[in-house]
């Protein structure tokens, strides 16, 4: 079951119209919408765990950042906030139970191709809330991954801003192709690396490693999306007495880390038990404690 809310004022400067619930089967995108024909748009996925929304404001901030990087009209964050809250509330009210996890996907496209220059096409915006399969088992059992190169060096976003590194765009073909390649190699996930030997991120997650009492994630200046769940995970680890830091991580450090996790809005935190076919240690107690704190910190 899902709930679809049309955000009819997705961009600042558009006439104010309250978001409204519509039938999820309603056609929304024109055949000339640039989000459909070119992947020219952005998105976010907000997690709702045990009926409580998680990190909505950081997601909205990142939506605005992605719009800036994509030269899209600034999103009307108040309208988007209402759309997400309405979609989640309507879905939860329609269910006979409180799901373990719900995701609410925000989709924001540039608009119609035929009107994309003069005048600019009206952007399309909607929020889709749906029940996500129970992530409890994978959170504790962990997952497997392979390392794959992105094919560019660390910091390419500063040298080539047109690559829109750091924006969460609808252009996900490379990410999906990487996951299919991983599946052929018997793994569930991918950890992207740079051509000069540094760790980036996973297609749908941020990478964390632990050595001693320090948890580290790659510095976002290297060309990464700043993870929302990662920030929550850092808060949880710090509350548990660990130090947390952002810095560049080499592929060698990843392979030698005492623990590795992927963090995202749906699963919150998953340990890697296998990387490139090699078994990794899993700290089940620390993982469970961190997830417990992340869940407790939800709005």
């Amino acid at each position: 079951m899902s709930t679809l809310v049309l955000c009819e004022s997705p961009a600042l400067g558009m006439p104010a119209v309250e978001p409204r619930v519509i039938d999820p089967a309603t056609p929304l995108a024109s055949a000339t919408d640039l989000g459909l024909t070119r992947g020219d748009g952005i998105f976010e996925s907000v997690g709702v765990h045990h009926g409580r929304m998680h990190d909505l404001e950081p997601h909205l901030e990142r939506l605005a950042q992605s719009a800036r990087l994509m030269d899209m009209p600034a999103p009307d964050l108040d309208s988007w906030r209402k759309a997400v809250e309405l979609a989640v509330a309507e879905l939860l009210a329609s269910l006979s139970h409180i799901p373990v996890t719900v995701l609410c996907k925000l989709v924001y496209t540039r608009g119609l191709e035929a009107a994309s220059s003069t005048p600019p096409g009206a952007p399309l915006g909607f929020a889709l809330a749906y029940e996500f399969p129970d992530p409890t088992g994978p959170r504790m059992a962990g997952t497997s991954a392979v390392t794959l190169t992105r094919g560019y060096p660390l910091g390419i976003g500063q040298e080539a801003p047109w690559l829109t590194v750091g924006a969460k765009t609808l252009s996900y073909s490379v990410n999906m192709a990487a996951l299919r390649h991983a599946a052929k190699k018997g793994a569930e996930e991918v950890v992207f690396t740079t051509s000069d030997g540094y760790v980036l991120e996973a297609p749908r997650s941020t990478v964390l490693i632990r050595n001693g009492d320090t948890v580290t994630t790659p510095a976002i200046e290297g060309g990464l999306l700043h993870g929302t769940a990662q920030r929550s995970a850092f808060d949880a680890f710090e509350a548990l007495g660990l130090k947390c830091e952002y810095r560049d991580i080499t592929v060698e450090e990843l392979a030698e880390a005492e623990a590795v996790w992927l963090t995202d809005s749906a699963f919150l935190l998953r340990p890697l038990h296998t990387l490139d076919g090699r078994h990794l240690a899993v700290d089940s107690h620390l993982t469970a404690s961190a997830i417990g704190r992340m869940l407790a910190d939800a709005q």
Side-chain angles (χ1 to χ4, degrees):
M1 184 176 290
S2 61
T3 300
L4 179 63
V5 170
L6 184 61
C7 187
E8 295 192 82
S9 301
L12 289 173
M14 293 184 68
V17 181
E18 288 293 307
R20 58 188 176 91
V21 177
I22 60 176
D23 187 336
T26 303
L28 287 182
S30 163
T32 61
D33 188 285
L34 286 163
L36 179 64
T37 62
R38 303 291 178 89
D40 195 358
I42 56 180
F43 78 100
E44 286 288 331
S45 294
V46 179
V48 182
H49 304 285
H50 302 285
R52 302 173 67 194
M53 198 174 301
H54 198 92
D55 296 331
L56 174 57
E57 294 308 315
H59 279 288
L60 293 176
E61 292 167 8
R62 199 168 65 180
L63 187 76
Q65 173 186 307
S66 293
R68 287 193 298 272
L69 291 171
M70 292 281 286
D71 293 322
M72 292 179 64
D76 184 335
L77 297 187
D78 185 55
S79 183
W80 280 105
R81 186 179 296 106
K82 292 177 181 177
V84 173
E85 291 173 346
L86 178 59
V88 170
E90 288 287 325
L91 177 64
L92 294 178
S94 69
L95 297 174
S96 59
H97 64 288
I98 298 296
V100 174
T101 298
V102 162
L103 288 184
C104 186
K105 181 171 287 188
L106 295 68
V107 176
Y108 180 36
T109 81
R110 195 177 302 273
L112 302 183
E113 187 168 7
S116 60
S117 55
T118 306
L124 171 67
F126 62 87
L128 178 68
Y130 57 94
E131 187 171 355
F132 187 81
D134 186 351
T136 305
R139 284 173 180 164
M140 299 313 301
T143 189
S144 58
V146 293
T147 54
L148 297 178
T149 181
R150 266 289 194 179
Y152 53 67
L154 190 69
I156 190 66
Q158 298 174 7
E159 179 183 338
W162 54 87
L163 295 178
T164 62
V165 173
K168 195 172 178 69
T169 75
L170 294 175
S171 301
Y172 246 53
S173 60
V174 171
N175 287 343
M176 302 314 293
L179 289 168
R180 290 193 297 271
H181 183 78
K184 292 176 183 177
K185 296 172 73 68
E188 297 175 299
E189 290 287 348
V190 170
V191 174
F192 283 124
T193 62
T194 67
S195 58
D196 50 352
Y198 290 92
V199 175
L200 290 172
E201 58 200 341
R204 299 166 297 194
S205 311
T206 306
V207 179
L208 307 179
I209 69 170
R210 180 184 67 79
N211 283 305
D213 63 352
T214 302
V215 177
T216 307
T217 196
I220 59 174
E221 291 81 8
L224 299 175
L225 192 70
H226 194 183
T228 55
Q230 170 265 309
R231 284 174 263 182
S232 178
F234 266 21
D235 289 341
F237 282 126
E238 287 176 342
L240 292 168
L242 297 172
K243 296 182 291 187
C244 295
E245 65 177 8
Y246 295 87
R247 66 169 175 82
D248 298 335
I249 299 173
T250 66
V251 173
E252 290 77 15
E253 284 182 281
L254 175 69
E256 296 170 0
E258 295 177 29
V260 182
W261 294 274
L262 300 182
T263 179
D264 59 72
S265 295
F267 292 99
L268 294 182
L269 196 65
R270 283 180 296 164
L272 277 190
H273 58 63
T274 306
L275 180 64
D276 292 329
R278 186 174 62 85
H279 177 72
L280 302 179
V282 171
D283 190 332
S284 299
H285 177 72
L286 179 58
T287 300
S289 297
I291 290 172
R293 288 188 174 273
M294 293 172 76
L295 288 171
D297 288 341
Q299 296 175 2

